[in-house]
Amino acid sequence: KNQVEQSPQSLIILEGKNCTLQCNYTVSPFSNLRWYKQDTGRGPVSLTIMTFSENTKSNGRYTATLDADTKQSSLHITASQLSDSASYICVVSEGGSYIPTFGRGTSLIVHP
Amino acid sequence: EPEVTQTPSHQVTQMGQEVILRCVPISNHLYFYWYRQILGQKVEFLVSFYNNEISEKSEIFDDQFSVERPDGSNFTLKIRSTKLEDSAMYFCASSEAGYWRQETQYFGPGTRLLVL
């Protein structure tokens, strides 16, 4: 069964600090990996989309990495802001069926 | 900026009743999706829709669910006979191209469904 595991489950950091969120997956065959930001009670917002051949992709202060060999991804947030407080979700799509598997998310709280 | 809209924002229904959740995708998008998120749990894919037919569906999307694009703008999810376990936030999303082409999906704000 395809699985996407994220760590840590929750994280508290001070404003201005950096942090890294982890995603491990067992989805196979692999199509793409996405990171989303979800504010409480809102729909997810796309941050990055990565394919098998991409190792790194940035979107402003967000940088995602992908190691398709070890089936691991990370999302690095630089110079955190209060508005970064949200759940960050890793989603991996299966090649062929294209059905996405969602992780449970990492809940990030940024304190002033 | 164009956005996906969903109505209603909240719906309360009795078990066994039919509900229709409505979505207006972004106007030039061709692919449409429904997801659900039970409170405190992860988001789950339900179905994708393209060219007036279902392109992919998950195990959750059984015979009690159906989707339709009744006109050029709306995309609906119907639950024929609601069960308590259908209580969840339902998200609609749309994209210009399919999920496998790495196109960005844009999510709506969701409809919170409560089945009593």
Side-chain angles (χ1 to χ4, degrees):
Chain A
K1 182 179 178 181
N2 290 332
Q3 289 187 318
V4 175
E5 300 291 339
Q6 293 188 240
S7 62
Q9 184 176 348
S10 61
L11 182 62
I12 301 174
I13 62 174
L14 291 176
E15 186 179 12
K17 298 297 186 182
N18 304 336
C19 66
T20 301
L21 315 179
Q22 301 291 342
C23 173
N24 296 335
Y25 62 92
T26 62
V27 177
S28 182
F30 173 87
S31 175
N32 59 66
L33 184 146
R34 300 164 185 249
W35 282 96
Y36 287 91
K37 176 186 179 187
Q38 185 180 25
D39 293 314
T40 302
R42 306 289 297 272
V45 174
S46 181
L47 297 176
T48 62
I49 305 169
M50 301 179 72
T51 61
F52 184 88
S53 59
E54 296 175 297
N55 299 119
T56 304
K57 182 165 280 190
S58 292
N59 177 5
R61 294 181 297 103
Y62 301 103
T63 299
T65 66
L66 173 64
D67 185 334
D69 291 332
T70 61
K71 297 186 177 180
Q72 295 179 324
S73 176
S74 65
L75 180 70
H76 186 74
I77 304 174
T78 304
S80 60
Q81 301 175 357
L82 299 179
S83 58
D84 291 334
S85 295
S87 179
Y88 290 84
I89 303 171
C90 176
V91 185
V92 183
S93 284
E94 181 178 339
S97 72
Y98 312 116
I99 290 178
T101 300
F102 286 71
R104 296 183 65 88
T106 291
S107 175
L108 174 66
I109 298 174
V110 180
H111 277 311
Chain B
E1 183 175 332
E3 58 183 18
V4 176
T5 59
Q6 291 185 242
T7 55
S9 59
H10 294 78
Q11 180 148 5
V12 180
T13 189
Q14 295 292 324
M15 188 170 57
Q17 295 297 303
E18 174 184 285
V19 296
I20 298 176
L21 309 183
R22 292 181 168 79
C23 168
V24 178
I26 294 173
S27 62
N28 64 329
H29 285 186
L30 300 177
Y31 293 79
F32 315 113
Y33 313 85
W34 283 102
Y35 298 87
R36 78 174 186 189
Q37 186 173 29
I38 296 170
L39 188 64
Q41 298 190 24
K42 63 180 181 179
V43 177
E44 298 172 293
F45 169 80
L46 293 178
V47 66
S48 60
F49 190 86
Y50 168 70
N51 198 26
N52 281 320
E53 61 182 30
I54 292 172
S55 48
E56 299 286 350
K57 62 180 181 179
S58 71
E59 295 175 348
I60 303 169
F61 194 88
D62 60 22
D63 291 344
Q64 73 158 347
F65 291 94
S66 63
V67 289
E68 188 180 29
R69 188 156 164 81
D71 53 43
S73 60
N74 289 284
F75 179 51
T76 62
L77 174 69
K78 180 191 290 185
I79 309 175
R80 290 191 181 83
S81 178
T82 51
K83 297 179 276 194
L84 297 176
E85 53 264 39
D86 292 328
S87 295
M89 180 76 94
Y90 288 81
F91 293 108
C92 172
S94 69
S95 63
E96 286 187 60
Y99 208 84
W100 55 93
R101 287 183 53 188
Q102 292 80 47
E103 294 291 329
T104 297
Q105 281 195 10
Y106 295 85
F107 283 73
T111 292
R112 185 168 295 284
L113 176 66
L114 178 61
V115 182
L116 301 177

